[in-house]
Amino acid sequence: MDGLANIISMLDYVLDSPRKRHITGGILLSVSMLFGSLALTVITLKNEENIIEEEPEHEQEE
């Protein structure tokens, strides 16, 4: 727990001005949106691959 307390103390010292906190918040939001969009892309690509794999099976049954 001392390590976590040290990290929080360091962040409090580094982000001492509202401007620095604002910039850091913007960077964190941008990074989270980047990873969220990448995850969404991977999920949709997996769904498309499943649909493409299922289509030939339905055509062969007819």
Side-chain angles (χ1 to χ4, degrees):
M1 288 306 259
D2 288 335
L4 183 61
N6 288 337
I7 291 172
I8 292 173
S9 176
M10 180 193 65
L11 286 174
D12 186 42
Y13 176 75
V14 170
L15 302 174
D16 57 349
S17 71
R19 184 171 185 256
K20 289 180 185 177
R21 284 193 298 267
H22 186 77
I23 291 170
T24 305
I27 291 170
L28 290 174
L29 280 173
S30 298
V31 169
S32 67
M33 288 173 49
L34 170 73
F35 285 117
S37 62
L38 285 173
L40 184 64
T41 302
V42 168
I43 290 170
T44 55
L45 286 177
K46 284 185 179 179
N47 288 341
E48 287 179 6
E49 288 175 0
N50 291 340
I51 291 171
I52 291 171
E53 289 175 0
E54 291 175 1
E55 286 179 1
E57 292 175 5
H58 295 293
E59 292 174 4
Q60 291 175 358
E61 291 176 359
E62 293 178 4

